[in-house]
Amino acid sequence: MISFTLQWENVLKELYGFYKKRENLVAYDTYIKQIEPAFKDGNNYFFKSNNIYQKEMVVERFTGHIREHLSTDQLKLGLEPAEDIIVMLPAELDEYVTKRKSGFSRHKRIQLNPFYNFDNFVVGSSNKLANAAAHAIVMNPGTAYNPFFLYGGVGLGKTHLMHAIGNKMTEQNPNINIAYITTETFTNEFIEAIRGMKNKEFREKYRSLDIFLIDDIQFISRAKETQEELFHTFNTLYEANKQIIITSDKHPSDISSVEERLLSRFKSGLLADIGLPDYETRVAILTSKQVYIKKQTNCSLPIDDDVIEYIAQRENTNIRELEGALRSVIAHAQLYNFDGQLKRIDKVTAADALEDFFTASQTKTIDSALIINKVAEYYEITVDDIKGKKKNRSISFPRQVCMYLLRSMLDMTYPDIADKLGGKDHSTIIYADNKIAEKIDKDPSFANNLQDIKSMIGGK
Ligand code: ADP
Ligand code: MG
């Protein structure tokens, strides 16, 4: 059998071609080439990264591409496609191997993001109450503010604050039993547990927690069984004075899919919302993010203050968008600085980089053209590729994602989708729609990528 190292060499060549074609060799050189193949465990591929920033970036942005290319290679060899691409620091790999040897069966996702902590959470008028509540919970979990229901628009810091609580509590007590889980994953795990007759294990896992962090509850499935499971999990934890924290992009009363009895539980503790940040908060957040993003992207150019102010001037933008704008400015400057002439990033460079950025994200109407554009942009292919007839996976897969999103975000009919995508056959679209829906259930890292695409489009 071909070794993983040799196989990776082949795949790297493919990836090089892929990024070269898209004129993004910076991504290839800075991230993809830097990770090293470690080992395979089943169909999961483990890579080593020696740098936490690099690791985070690869995990966030490139595992999708890597998996696609590895899978193509696997199929060529007559093997099953890659399931998960896992990037770990050396110490994490060691820990994994030790646990694996001692009979630990599945790789445990590292649940809490260490970069979402209180130290880098900027407090302003828009999140003051939520932040104060979060600190109070850390001091006295499971008492006054239970459950803590945190709500607010997309990209405003709910997940960050939730992880900050989890990180702080772990720091205070490393043995504390915490689960952070998105509602989608909770649902999928539950369904899988039923299928595999593992209901008891599932119950034990969630009902024995000290702290339960459940993110994006607006995605709760209407299925009676899921709601019931969550209801009982909630009650068991609540009665044992264990802390429950829930986030949502809307007020509980506005989540139509939640049963009444669960709703009343959600509303029984503390409700806090996070709003849009004001100008000062936007400047403070960007200033603090700047250090982190520069490290992540190996950027050594100083950034002028007025660049930050320029970006922060945008009203009604969420923090994820602001951060995205800053990343674009840095990427743009790096790309155009191949000759090393640029000494600093100034407002002119920023304005140049952001010419299209905000206009696209501020027109709130989501239409088929926007979806097609953003999917193409995400997978670094062209709109013509999506509408065209090419059959290679690096194009046909994004095309299927596009079909799925046109249906799920715009409720378009199959014939209309066919029409927008250059006259594809209905059955192709139905097939794509089902396939992607299934993949979301089975593949959490793909589900995450899809969430990124949706937020690029500006939807939920
Ligand atoms: P939400 O869960 O509300 O959609 P996130 O928690 O994912 O939003 O936040 C989006 C991005 O904005 C993250 O990178 C997060 O670190 C950043 N962010 C949000 N609020 C703050 C804040 N108050 N200070 C620093 N960064 C923030
Ligand atoms: Mg979130």
Side-chain angles (χ1 to χ4, degrees):
M1 204 170 92
I2 178 168
S3 78
F4 182 19
T5 318
L6 267 180
Q7 189 184 8
W8 180 237
E9 275 179 26
N10 287 334
V11 175
L12 262 185
K13 282 189 201 130
E14 296 283 323
L15 283 163
Y16 176 82
F18 178 85
Y19 286 97
K20 188 172 158 63
K21 221 162 98 195
R22 283 152 192 85
E23 295 179 358
N24 195 0
L25 282 179
V26 178
Y28 174 84
D29 284 334
T30 335
Y31 301 110
I32 305 207
K33 210 176 76 182
Q34 304 300 330
I35 56 171
E36 296 163 31
F39 52 79
K40 271 168 74 168
D41 187 2
N43 276 331
N44 296 326
Y45 289 73
F46 286 74
F47 289 85
K48 182 166 93 179
S49 164
N50 289 315
N51 172 321
I52 183 121
Y53 302 107
Q54 213 160 48
K55 170 192 147 174
E56 257 229 319
M57 198 64 184
V58 176
V59 171
E60 268 179 22
R61 199 72 185 81
F62 301 110
T63 42
H65 290 167
I66 295 172
R67 193 182 43 240
E68 293 300 314
H69 286 262
L70 250 176
S71 293
T72 314
D73 195 69
Q74 286 281 101
L75 294 173
K76 260 193 236 153
L77 299 167
L79 302 169
E80 281 189 31
E83 211 163 276
D84 213 348
I85 304 293
I86 299 130
V87 186
M88 287 182 167
L89 297 172
E92 291 168 340
L93 281 171
D94 288 347
E95 189 192 9
Y96 178 86
V97 173
T98 318
K99 281 196 178 155
R100 192 80 172 85
K101 276 190 194 142
S102 64
F104 176 84
S105 64
R106 253 182 346 130
H107 96 268
K108 184 168 175 280
R109 280 173 186 282
I110 292 151
Q111 301 172 326
L112 290 171
N113 182 341
F115 290 99
Y116 287 167
N117 53 51
F118 280 121
D119 296 338
N120 60 18
F121 188 78
V122 175
V123 182
S125 55
S126 53
N127 57 24
K128 213 161 61 193
L129 175 70
N131 177 67
H135 279 280
I137 287 168
V138 169
M139 304 288 288
N140 280 310
T143 53
Y145 303 137
N146 204 18
F148 177 36
F149 192 99
L150 180 61
Y151 68 100
V154 190
L156 294 179
K158 303 180 297 292
T159 300
H160 186 137
L161 200 54
M162 188 179 230
H163 281 252
I165 298 174
N167 281 320
K168 192 76 193 173
M169 309 235 24
T170 315
E171 188 187 305
Q172 286 176 354
N173 176 5
N175 295 323
I176 201 161
N177 192 359
I178 295 189
Y180 163 82
I181 193 161
T182 63
T183 305
E184 260 173 322
T185 310
F186 179 84
T187 310
N188 293 340
E189 224 180 83
F190 175 61
I191 294 169
E192 228 164 76
I194 297 181
R195 273 194 206 133
M197 318 273 269
K198 295 254 162 59
N199 309 28
K200 193 161 159 269
E201 284 88 341
F202 183 88
R203 248 165 231 171
E204 271 164 18
K205 175 171 165 192
Y206 287 102
R207 297 188 194 179
S208 63
L209 292 170
D210 297 314
I211 305 201
F212 185 34
L213 310 173
I214 180 153
D215 206 355
D216 286 327
I217 201 77
Q218 75 273 9
F219 291 131
I220 178 97
S221 128
R222 284 176 197 273
K224 206 165 164 288
E225 295 77 9
T226 313
Q227 302 240 353
E228 185 149 315
E229 186 62 30
L230 187 60
F231 180 73
H232 291 300
T233 307
F234 187 104
N235 286 345
T236 310
L237 294 175
Y238 183 81
E239 274 153 28
N241 294 327
K242 305 298 187 186
Q243 181 70 45
I244 302 158
I245 303 177
I246 307 154
T247 73
S248 160
D249 70 349
K250 17 175 136 51
H251 187 279
S253 307
D254 297 329
I255 314 174
S256 58
S257 53
V258 176
E259 278 178 19
E260 197 47 46
R261 58 178 183 167
L262 252 180
L263 261 190
S264 68
R265 295 294 187 287
F266 291 169
K267 290 194 259 186
S268 65
L270 178 74
L271 263 78
D273 72 329
I274 300 193
L276 284 168
D278 55 20
Y279 176 75
E280 279 70 33
T281 314
R282 298 200 291 272
V283 171
I285 291 174
L286 283 168
T287 308
S288 108
K289 283 279 165 182
Q290 164 187 180
V291 183
Y292 169 62
I293 299 175
K294 280 175 71 177
K295 261 192 211 158
Q296 249 189 353
T297 54
N298 281 325
C299 170
S300 53
L301 295 167
I303 301 179
D304 286 352
D305 287 346
D306 60 1
V307 168
I308 300 293
E309 286 155 18
Y310 174 74
I311 298 173
Q313 266 158 21
R314 310 286 153 166
E315 310 256 335
N316 298 321
T317 39
N318 71 45
I319 298 164
R320 193 176 290 139
E321 271 172 350
L322 290 172
E323 213 182 304
L326 181 58
R327 278 180 199 279
S328 293
V329 169
I330 293 175
H332 184 87
Q334 282 181 318
L335 212 57
Y336 286 91
N337 194 30
F338 47 84
D339 52 2
Q341 291 292 309
L342 209 60
K343 293 287 169 267
R344 49 193 315 107
I345 301 180
D346 60 15
K347 202 172 142 184
V348 179
T349 319
D352 197 21
L354 295 179
E355 211 177 348
D356 304 322
F357 192 88
F358 285 110
T359 39
S361 60
Q362 283 197 335
T363 45
K364 288 288 175 219
T365 40
I366 297 173
D367 58 12
S368 58
L370 180 66
I371 293 182
I372 298 172
N373 258 319
K374 291 293 168 191
V375 172
E377 184 185 322
Y378 184 84
Y379 288 103
E380 305 191 339
I381 60 177
T382 67
V383 168
D384 285 345
D385 283 338
I386 291 201
K387 293 187 175 175
K389 297 205 172 354
K390 283 185 209 156
K391 290 216 161 50
N392 36 328
R393 202 176 143 74
S394 61
I395 291 176
S396 64
F397 184 72
R399 188 182 292 139
Q400 291 175 331
V401 169
C402 221
M403 293 172 180
Y404 170 82
L405 289 175
L406 289 172
R407 224 249 328 114
S408 63
M409 294 183 85
L410 298 180
D411 243 349
M412 279 173 70
T413 63
Y414 294 129
D416 283 347
I417 296 174
D419 192 43
K420 288 283 180 233
L421 293 179
K424 304 270 176 315
D425 191 6
H426 298 185
S427 60
T428 318
I429 298 168
I430 298 174
Y431 171 78
D433 193 25
N434 290 333
K435 178 179 152 183
I436 300 295
E438 207 172 283
K439 196 165 167 66
I440 297 172
D441 276 353
K442 286 206 187 120
D443 180 347
S445 71
F446 171 73
N448 257 332
N449 295 350
L450 197 68
Q451 209 46 54
D452 284 348
I453 300 177
K454 284 193 195 169
S455 60
M456 279 166 67
I457 295 169
K460 281 294 315 137

